[in-house]
Amino acid sequence: METISIHNLIKEQYGEYLNKNITQLNITQNEEEVYLEAIESSKDENGVMKEEVKKFRMDFEVRDGERFLDPANKVEMNAIKFMEEANAFTIVNIAPDIFNDAACGDILADFVISGMANEESLF
């Protein structure tokens, strides 16, 4: 299992959209799968800190057998590709929990209004 943090990069690029409870974002992969892993922290009613790990598959097929992030690539290459090719709309669709609800609504509305909803690719 390999992991690389992209939290600071996402925070830098999408800080106003980021769910305030997300404390870590990583690209994690093994020989067969690639995930965006989000760690969400919150306190329960007793003041105990709770962490929930959410995983979103990133090795899905985008066209003709090509995967968005390929587990055959190094984790660093997949992190770079994610940061370069994923946009806010893509992130909302594949990992909506990392953005706050208001941001998700704004991003989806902007996408529809801009006319990009008719585009073939989300990347």
Side-chain angles (χ1 to χ4, degrees):
M1 184 74 68
E2 294 183 283
T3 299
I4 190 166
S5 175
I6 60 168
H7 189 255
N8 288 339
L9 297 171
I10 292 285
K11 194 172 182 179
E12 196 174 289
Q13 189 167 354
Y14 299 110
E16 71 278 7
Y17 297 154
L18 198 59
N19 174 340
K20 65 180 176 62
N21 294 325
I22 298 292
T23 58
Q24 189 59 42
L25 288 165
N26 303 313
I27 298 294
T28 301
Q29 68 184 62
N30 58 34
E31 297 81 27
E32 299 173 3
E33 303 165 322
V34 182
Y35 293 94
L36 173 62
E37 181 180 78
I39 300 173
E40 188 171 352
S41 299
S42 60
K43 286 185 181 178
D44 69 13
E45 61 278 352
N46 298 317
V48 175
M49 190 61 110
K50 173 181 148 185
E51 286 188 340
E52 182 178 0
V53 178
K54 298 179 179 183
K55 291 184 176 187
F56 306 94
R57 291 286 297 263
M58 295 290 122
D59 55 352
F60 52 85
E61 186 175 323
V62 288
R63 65 184 78 73
D64 300 325
E66 179 187 344
R67 292 176 169 190
F68 175 49
L69 300 183
D70 193 330
N73 295 334
K74 291 185 174 202
V75 70
E76 295 87 355
M77 289 176 58
N78 280 328
I80 291 167
K81 183 176 181 178
F82 180 84
M83 292 306 301
E84 288 178 351
E85 294 186 17
N87 57 42
F89 182 77
T90 305
I91 294 169
V92 164
N93 280 285
I94 58 179
D97 295 346
I98 70 167
F99 288 160
N100 63 57
D101 291 341
C104 289
D106 290 347
I107 292 164
L108 293 173
D110 288 347
F111 188 76
V112 170
I113 291 168
S114 72
M116 290 178 61
N118 296 324
E119 294 292 320
E120 187 173 306
S121 175
L122 301 178
F123 301 94

mmCIF file of all heavy atoms in Angstrom, residues 42-79:
data_model
loop_
_atom_site.group_PDB
_atom_site.id
_atom_site.type_symbol
_atom_site.label_atom_id
_atom_site.label_comp_id
_atom_site.label_asym_id
_atom_site.label_seq_id
_atom_site.Cartn_x
_atom_site.Cartn_y
_atom_site.Cartn_z
ATOM 1 N N SER A 42 -14.508 14.714 13.850
ATOM 2 C CA SER A 42 -15.566 15.434 14.546
ATOM 3 C C SER A 42 -15.598 14.981 15.999
ATOM 4 O O SER A 42 -15.074 13.925 16.343
ATOM 5 C CB SER A 42 -16.921 15.179 13.889
ATOM 6 O OG SER A 42 -17.230 13.801 13.924
ATOM 7 N N LYS A 43 -16.203 15.810 16.833
ATOM 8 C CA LYS A 43 -16.367 15.444 18.245
ATOM 9 C C LYS A 43 -17.780 14.942 18.452
ATOM 10 O O LYS A 43 -18.732 15.510 17.925
ATOM 11 C CB LYS A 43 -16.107 16.645 19.149
ATOM 12 C CG LYS A 43 -14.659 17.018 19.263
ATOM 13 C CD LYS A 43 -14.463 18.144 20.260
ATOM 14 C CE LYS A 43 -12.995 18.513 20.339
ATOM 15 N NZ LYS A 43 -12.772 19.625 21.254
ATOM 16 N N ASP A 44 -17.899 13.886 19.259
ATOM 17 C CA ASP A 44 -19.234 13.408 19.581
ATOM 18 C C ASP A 44 -19.805 14.209 20.748
ATOM 19 O O ASP A 44 -19.165 15.144 21.245
ATOM 20 C CB ASP A 44 -19.256 11.894 19.839
ATOM 21 C CG ASP A 44 -18.547 11.479 21.118
ATOM 22 O OD1 ASP A 44 -18.222 12.338 21.965
ATOM 23 O OD2 ASP A 44 -18.323 10.260 21.286
ATOM 24 N N GLU A 45 -20.996 13.852 21.187
ATOM 25 C CA GLU A 45 -21.670 14.612 22.250
ATOM 26 C C GLU A 45 -20.925 14.584 23.582
ATOM 27 O O GLU A 45 -21.142 15.431 24.445
ATOM 28 C CB GLU A 45 -23.112 14.124 22.443
ATOM 29 C CG GLU A 45 -23.255 12.670 22.857
ATOM 30 C CD GLU A 45 -23.182 11.679 21.696
ATOM 31 O OE1 GLU A 45 -23.163 12.094 20.527
ATOM 32 O OE2 GLU A 45 -23.117 10.477 21.976
ATOM 33 N N ASN A 46 -20.002 13.634 23.748
ATOM 34 C CA ASN A 46 -19.198 13.549 24.973
ATOM 35 C C ASN A 46 -17.845 14.253 24.839
ATOM 36 O O ASN A 46 -17.038 14.209 25.756
ATOM 37 C CB ASN A 46 -18.967 12.087 25.359
ATOM 38 C CG ASN A 46 -20.263 11.369 25.661
ATOM 39 O OD1 ASN A 46 -21.131 11.925 26.328
ATOM 40 N ND2 ASN A 46 -20.395 10.161 25.161
ATOM 41 N N GLY A 47 -17.618 14.879 23.696
ATOM 42 C CA GLY A 47 -16.356 15.569 23.471
ATOM 43 C C GLY A 47 -15.238 14.669 22.992
ATOM 44 O O GLY A 47 -14.087 15.095 22.909
ATOM 45 N N VAL A 48 -15.559 13.425 22.668
ATOM 46 C CA VAL A 48 -14.552 12.480 22.179
ATOM 47 C C VAL A 48 -14.356 12.696 20.679
ATOM 48 O O VAL A 48 -15.320 12.765 19.920
ATOM 49 C CB VAL A 48 -14.980 11.024 22.459
ATOM 50 C CG1 VAL A 48 -14.003 10.035 21.856
ATOM 51 C CG2 VAL A 48 -15.134 10.793 23.955
ATOM 52 N N MET A 49 -13.089 12.818 20.272
ATOM 53 C CA MET A 49 -12.765 13.029 18.874
ATOM 54 C C MET A 49 -12.950 11.723 18.103
ATOM 55 O O MET A 49 -12.461 10.677 18.504
ATOM 56 C CB MET A 49 -11.332 13.520 18.723
ATOM 57 C CG MET A 49 -11.013 13.972 17.332
ATOM 58 S SD MET A 49 -12.071 15.336 16.854
ATOM 59 C CE MET A 49 -10.927 16.659 16.839
ATOM 60 N N LYS A 50 -13.679 11.813 17.019
ATOM 61 C CA LYS A 50 -13.979 10.652 16.186
ATOM 62 C C LYS A 50 -13.437 10.925 14.789
ATOM 63 O O LYS A 50 -13.563 12.033 14.278
ATOM 64 C CB LYS A 50 -15.488 10.461 16.154
ATOM 65 C CG LYS A 50 -15.992 9.413 15.225
ATOM 66 C CD LYS A 50 -17.523 9.371 15.287
ATOM 67 C CE LYS A 50 -18.068 8.987 13.943
ATOM 68 N NZ LYS A 50 -19.506 9.038 13.862
ATOM 69 N N GLU A 51 -12.798 9.912 14.182
ATOM 70 C CA GLU A 51 -12.316 10.032 12.811
ATOM 71 C C GLU A 51 -13.003 8.994 11.943
ATOM 72 O O GLU A 51 -13.139 7.839 12.333
ATOM 73 C CB GLU A 51 -10.806 9.830 12.736
ATOM 74 C CG GLU A 51 -10.012 10.985 13.256
ATOM 75 C CD GLU A 51 -8.523 10.843 12.989
ATOM 76 O OE1 GLU A 51 -8.042 9.721 12.747
ATOM 77 O OE2 GLU A 51 -7.845 11.871 13.044
ATOM 78 N N GLU A 52 -13.424 9.434 10.784
ATOM 79 C CA GLU A 52 -14.028 8.531 9.809
ATOM 80 C C GLU A 52 -13.201 8.596 8.529
ATOM 81 O O GLU A 52 -12.894 9.678 8.036
ATOM 82 C CB GLU A 52 -15.465 8.955 9.522
ATOM 83 C CG GLU A 52 -16.173 8.055 8.560
ATOM 84 C CD GLU A 52 -17.623 8.464 8.316
ATOM 85 O OE1 GLU A 52 -18.085 9.456 8.899
ATOM 86 O OE2 GLU A 52 -18.277 7.769 7.519
ATOM 87 N N VAL A 53 -12.818 7.436 8.027
ATOM 88 C CA VAL A 53 -12.053 7.363 6.786
ATOM 89 C C VAL A 53 -13.023 7.031 5.656
ATOM 90 O O VAL A 53 -13.749 6.040 5.721
ATOM 91 C CB VAL A 53 -10.946 6.294 6.873
ATOM 92 C CG1 VAL A 53 -10.194 6.192 5.548
ATOM 93 C CG2 VAL A 53 -9.988 6.603 8.014
ATOM 94 N N LYS A 54 -13.030 7.886 4.643
ATOM 95 C CA LYS A 54 -13.886 7.672 3.475
ATOM 96 C C LYS A 54 -12.978 7.457 2.271
ATOM 97 O O LYS A 54 -12.011 8.191 2.088
ATOM 98 C CB LYS A 54 -14.788 8.872 3.244
ATOM 99 C CG LYS A 54 -15.737 9.121 4.396
ATOM 100 C CD LYS A 54 -16.601 10.323 4.161
ATOM 101 C CE LYS A 54 -17.544 10.513 5.339
ATOM 102 N NZ LYS A 54 -18.460 11.613 5.132
ATOM 103 N N LYS A 55 -13.295 6.439 1.490
ATOM 104 C CA LYS A 55 -12.489 6.126 0.314
ATOM 105 C C LYS A 55 -13.345 6.236 -0.937
ATOM 106 O O LYS A 55 -14.467 5.749 -0.977
ATOM 107 C CB LYS A 55 -11.923 4.712 0.422
ATOM 108 C CG LYS A 55 -10.887 4.567 1.496
ATOM 109 C CD LYS A 55 -10.300 3.173 1.485
ATOM 110 C CE LYS A 55 -9.187 3.064 2.506
ATOM 111 N NZ LYS A 55 -8.510 1.780 2.404
ATOM 112 N N PHE A 56 -12.772 6.882 -1.956
ATOM 113 C CA PHE A 56 -13.443 7.075 -3.228
ATOM 114 C C PHE A 56 -12.553 6.499 -4.325
ATOM 115 O O PHE A 56 -11.399 6.913 -4.465
ATOM 116 C CB PHE A 56 -13.688 8.569 -3.489
ATOM 117 C CG PHE A 56 -14.419 9.253 -2.357
ATOM 118 C CD1 PHE A 56 -13.711 9.905 -1.349
ATOM 119 C CD2 PHE A 56 -15.797 9.231 -2.302
ATOM 120 C CE1 PHE A 56 -14.370 10.540 -0.311
ATOM 121 C CE2 PHE A 56 -16.468 9.863 -1.260
ATOM 122 C CZ PHE A 56 -15.753 10.511 -0.263
ATOM 123 N N ARG A 57 -13.082 5.557 -5.090
ATOM 124 C CA ARG A 57 -12.295 4.903 -6.144
ATOM 125 C C ARG A 57 -11.906 5.919 -7.217
ATOM 126 O O ARG A 57 -12.733 6.686 -7.700
ATOM 127 C CB ARG A 57 -13.097 3.773 -6.794
ATOM 128 C CG ARG A 57 -13.351 2.564 -5.931
ATOM 129 C CD ARG A 57 -12.149 1.664 -5.713
ATOM 130 N NE ARG A 57 -11.597 1.048 -6.870
ATOM 131 C CZ ARG A 57 -11.866 -0.179 -7.291
ATOM 132 N NH1 ARG A 57 -12.720 -0.930 -6.628
ATOM 133 N NH2 ARG A 57 -11.286 -0.660 -8.365
ATOM 134 N N MET A 58 -10.643 5.878 -7.609
ATOM 135 C CA MET A 58 -10.122 6.777 -8.629
ATOM 136 C C MET A 58 -9.609 6.028 -9.857
ATOM 137 O O MET A 58 -9.115 6.642 -10.789
ATOM 138 C CB MET A 58 -8.955 7.609 -8.063
ATOM 139 C CG MET A 58 -9.333 8.553 -6.950
ATOM 140 S SD MET A 58 -10.335 9.906 -7.560
ATOM 141 C CE MET A 58 -11.780 9.706 -6.564
ATOM 142 N N ASP A 59 -9.720 4.703 -9.850
ATOM 143 C CA ASP A 59 -9.199 3.914 -10.960
ATOM 144 C C ASP A 59 -10.300 3.502 -11.936
ATOM 145 O O ASP A 59 -10.181 2.519 -12.649
ATOM 146 C CB ASP A 59 -8.436 2.693 -10.447
ATOM 147 C CG ASP A 59 -9.255 1.808 -9.514
ATOM 148 O OD1 ASP A 59 -10.378 2.203 -9.139
ATOM 149 O OD2 ASP A 59 -8.767 0.731 -9.159
ATOM 150 N N PHE A 60 -11.359 4.303 -11.987
ATOM 151 C CA PHE A 60 -12.463 4.017 -12.888
ATOM 152 C C PHE A 60 -12.062 4.292 -14.336
ATOM 153 O O PHE A 60 -11.130 5.060 -14.611
ATOM 154 C CB PHE A 60 -13.709 4.830 -12.502
ATOM 155 C CG PHE A 60 -13.444 6.304 -12.365
ATOM 156 C CD1 PHE A 60 -13.476 7.142 -13.465
ATOM 157 C CD2 PHE A 60 -13.156 6.843 -11.112
ATOM 158 C CE1 PHE A 60 -13.233 8.488 -13.336
ATOM 159 C CE2 PHE A 60 -12.914 8.192 -10.969
ATOM 160 C CZ PHE A 60 -12.942 9.025 -12.081
ATOM 161 N N GLU A 61 -12.762 3.658 -15.240
ATOM 162 C CA GLU A 61 -12.484 3.824 -16.665
ATOM 163 C C GLU A 61 -13.062 5.145 -17.158
ATOM 164 O O GLU A 61 -14.215 5.468 -16.889
ATOM 165 C CB GLU A 61 -13.097 2.663 -17.451
ATOM 166 C CG GLU A 61 -12.736 2.680 -18.908
ATOM 167 C CD GLU A 61 -13.259 1.459 -19.652
ATOM 168 O OE1 GLU A 61 -13.257 0.352 -19.075
ATOM 169 O OE2 GLU A 61 -13.662 1.638 -20.811
ATOM 170 N N VAL A 62 -12.246 5.911 -17.872
ATOM 171 C CA VAL A 62 -12.721 7.178 -18.421
ATOM 172 C C VAL A 62 -13.028 7.071 -19.920
ATOM 173 O O VAL A 62 -13.889 7.763 -20.415
ATOM 174 C CB VAL A 62 -11.746 8.350 -18.147
ATOM 175 C CG1 VAL A 62 -11.785 8.734 -16.688
ATOM 176 C CG2 VAL A 62 -10.345 8.052 -18.592
ATOM 177 N N ARG A 63 -12.293 6.215 -20.615
ATOM 178 C CA ARG A 63 -12.575 5.961 -22.035
ATOM 179 C C ARG A 63 -11.756 4.785 -22.533
ATOM 180 O O ARG A 63 -10.588 4.656 -22.207
ATOM 181 C CB ARG A 63 -12.338 7.200 -22.890
ATOM 182 C CG ARG A 63 -10.906 7.695 -22.967
ATOM 183 C CD ARG A 63 -10.732 8.985 -23.752
ATOM 184 N NE ARG A 63 -11.091 10.187 -23.072
ATOM 185 C CZ ARG A 63 -10.403 10.766 -22.092
ATOM 186 N NH1 ARG A 63 -9.299 10.230 -21.654
ATOM 187 N NH2 ARG A 63 -10.808 11.874 -21.539
ATOM 188 N N ASP A 64 -12.382 3.931 -23.282
ATOM 189 C CA ASP A 64 -11.732 2.810 -23.974
ATOM 190 C C ASP A 64 -10.651 2.108 -23.155
ATOM 191 O O ASP A 64 -9.516 1.947 -23.609
ATOM 192 C CB ASP A 64 -11.134 3.281 -25.304
ATOM 193 C CG ASP A 64 -12.190 3.854 -26.237
ATOM 194 O OD1 ASP A 64 -13.321 3.347 -26.219
ATOM 195 O OD2 ASP A 64 -11.874 4.805 -26.978
ATOM 196 N N GLY A 65 -10.972 1.696 -21.953
ATOM 197 C CA GLY A 65 -10.031 0.954 -21.117
ATOM 198 C C GLY A 65 -9.032 1.812 -20.366
ATOM 199 O O GLY A 65 -8.279 1.309 -19.542
ATOM 200 N N GLU A 66 -8.999 3.124 -20.657
ATOM 201 C CA GLU A 66 -8.088 4.029 -19.951
ATOM 202 C C GLU A 66 -8.676 4.368 -18.589
ATOM 203 O O GLU A 66 -9.837 4.752 -18.480
ATOM 204 C CB GLU A 66 -7.879 5.310 -20.764
ATOM 205 C CG GLU A 66 -6.972 6.307 -20.086
ATOM 206 C CD GLU A 66 -6.905 7.639 -20.822
ATOM 207 O OE1 GLU A 66 -7.300 7.707 -22.000
ATOM 208 O OE2 GLU A 66 -6.477 8.611 -20.195
ATOM 209 N N ARG A 67 -7.863 4.227 -17.559
ATOM 210 C CA ARG A 67 -8.305 4.550 -16.208
ATOM 211 C C ARG A 67 -7.948 5.995 -15.870
ATOM 212 O O ARG A 67 -6.948 6.506 -16.356
ATOM 213 C CB ARG A 67 -7.629 3.631 -15.186
ATOM 214 C CG ARG A 67 -8.061 2.197 -15.287
ATOM 215 C CD ARG A 67 -7.274 1.388 -14.306
ATOM 216 N NE ARG A 67 -7.826 0.041 -14.174
ATOM 217 C CZ ARG A 67 -7.445 -0.795 -13.239
ATOM 218 N NH1 ARG A 67 -6.526 -0.453 -12.352
ATOM 219 N NH2 ARG A 67 -7.975 -1.991 -13.175
ATOM 220 N N PHE A 68 -8.774 6.613 -15.029
ATOM 221 C CA PHE A 68 -8.443 7.969 -14.592
ATOM 222 C C PHE A 68 -7.102 7.943 -13.864
ATOM 223 O O PHE A 68 -6.159 8.610 -14.274
ATOM 224 C CB PHE A 68 -9.553 8.550 -13.719
ATOM 225 C CG PHE A 68 -9.214 9.901 -13.147
ATOM 226 C CD1 PHE A 68 -8.725 10.908 -13.963
ATOM 227 C CD2 PHE A 68 -9.380 10.162 -11.808
ATOM 228 C CE1 PHE A 68 -8.396 12.163 -13.446
ATOM 229 C CE2 PHE A 68 -9.064 11.410 -11.278
ATOM 230 C CZ PHE A 68 -8.570 12.402 -12.100
ATOM 231 N N LEU A 69 -6.995 7.187 -12.778
ATOM 232 C CA LEU A 69 -5.722 6.969 -12.108
ATOM 233 C C LEU A 69 -5.428 5.476 -12.187
ATOM 234 O O LEU A 69 -6.268 4.654 -11.834
ATOM 235 C CB LEU A 69 -5.758 7.429 -10.646
ATOM 236 C CG LEU A 69 -6.069 8.914 -10.419
ATOM 237 C CD1 LEU A 69 -6.005 9.236 -8.926
ATOM 238 C CD2 LEU A 69 -5.152 9.815 -11.206
ATOM 239 N N ASP A 70 -4.240 5.139 -12.650
ATOM 240 C CA ASP A 70 -3.881 3.750 -12.911
ATOM 241 C C ASP A 70 -2.975 3.215 -11.803
ATOM 242 O O ASP A 70 -1.933 3.809 -11.526
ATOM 243 C CB ASP A 70 -3.170 3.664 -14.258
ATOM 244 C CG ASP A 70 -3.030 2.251 -14.770
ATOM 245 O OD1 ASP A 70 -2.943 1.314 -13.953
ATOM 246 O OD2 ASP A 70 -2.995 2.093 -16.002
ATOM 247 N N PRO A 71 -3.344 2.097 -11.172
ATOM 248 C CA PRO A 71 -2.501 1.543 -10.110
ATOM 249 C C PRO A 71 -1.138 1.070 -10.604
ATOM 250 O O PRO A 71 -0.227 0.855 -9.805
ATOM 251 C CB PRO A 71 -3.325 0.383 -9.543
ATOM 252 C CG PRO A 71 -4.344 0.074 -10.560
ATOM 253 C CD PRO A 71 -4.568 1.323 -11.364
ATOM 254 N N ALA A 72 -0.973 0.948 -11.923
ATOM 255 C CA ALA A 72 0.336 0.581 -12.475
ATOM 256 C C ALA A 72 1.322 1.751 -12.393
ATOM 257 O O ALA A 72 2.531 1.553 -12.451
ATOM 258 C CB ALA A 72 0.192 0.112 -13.924
ATOM 259 N N ASN A 73 0.796 2.960 -12.241
ATOM 260 C CA ASN A 73 1.652 4.150 -12.122
ATOM 261 C C ASN A 73 2.089 4.336 -10.675
ATOM 262 O O ASN A 73 1.434 3.865 -9.753
ATOM 263 C CB ASN A 73 0.901 5.400 -12.576
ATOM 264 C CG ASN A 73 0.558 5.364 -14.046
ATOM 265 O OD1 ASN A 73 1.229 4.716 -14.844
ATOM 266 N ND2 ASN A 73 -0.508 6.041 -14.407
ATOM 267 N N LYS A 74 3.156 5.088 -10.489
ATOM 268 C CA LYS A 74 3.596 5.429 -9.135
ATOM 269 C C LYS A 74 2.563 6.340 -8.491
ATOM 270 O O LYS A 74 1.899 7.133 -9.165
ATOM 271 C CB LYS A 74 4.946 6.132 -9.169
ATOM 272 C CG LYS A 74 6.080 5.238 -9.585
ATOM 273 C CD LYS A 74 7.397 5.957 -9.487
ATOM 274 C CE LYS A 74 8.499 4.975 -9.779
ATOM 275 N NZ LYS A 74 9.769 5.395 -9.227
ATOM 276 N N VAL A 75 2.451 6.234 -7.175
ATOM 277 C CA VAL A 75 1.470 7.037 -6.441
ATOM 278 C C VAL A 75 1.716 8.529 -6.658
ATOM 279 O O VAL A 75 0.769 9.316 -6.753
ATOM 280 C CB VAL A 75 1.440 6.645 -4.942
ATOM 281 C CG1 VAL A 75 2.702 7.085 -4.214
ATOM 282 C CG2 VAL A 75 0.202 7.193 -4.255
ATOM 283 N N GLU A 76 2.960 8.942 -6.785
ATOM 284 C CA GLU A 76 3.282 10.352 -7.034
ATOM 285 C C GLU A 76 2.721 10.813 -8.381
ATOM 286 O O GLU A 76 2.202 11.923 -8.500
ATOM 287 C CB GLU A 76 4.804 10.583 -7.011
ATOM 288 C CG GLU A 76 5.446 10.350 -5.665
ATOM 289 C CD GLU A 76 5.860 8.896 -5.427
ATOM 290 O OE1 GLU A 76 5.575 8.003 -6.262
ATOM 291 O OE2 GLU A 76 6.468 8.635 -4.370
ATOM 292 N N MET A 77 2.830 9.947 -9.398
ATOM 293 C CA MET A 77 2.297 10.284 -10.723
ATOM 294 C C MET A 77 0.779 10.411 -10.678
ATOM 295 O O MET A 77 0.205 11.307 -11.305
ATOM 296 C CB MET A 77 2.714 9.226 -11.751
ATOM 297 C CG MET A 77 4.184 9.263 -12.100
ATOM 298 S SD MET A 77 4.654 7.927 -13.225
ATOM 299 C CE MET A 77 3.591 8.226 -14.612
ATOM 300 N N ASN A 78 0.125 9.516 -9.932
ATOM 301 C CA ASN A 78 -1.325 9.584 -9.810
ATOM 302 C C ASN A 78 -1.765 10.837 -9.064
ATOM 303 O O ASN A 78 -2.770 11.459 -9.423
ATOM 304 C CB ASN A 78 -1.866 8.317 -9.136
ATOM 305 C CG ASN A 78 -1.963 7.164 -10.109
ATOM 306 O OD1 ASN A 78 -2.214 7.353 -11.293
ATOM 307 N ND2 ASN A 78 -1.762 5.960 -9.614
ATOM 308 N N ALA A 79 -1.014 11.238 -8.048
ATOM 309 C CA ALA A 79 -1.344 12.462 -7.316
ATOM 310 C C ALA A 79 -1.230 13.681 -8.232
ATOM 311 O O ALA A 79 -2.103 14.558 -8.228
ATOM 312 C CB ALA A 79 -0.437 12.612 -6.098
#
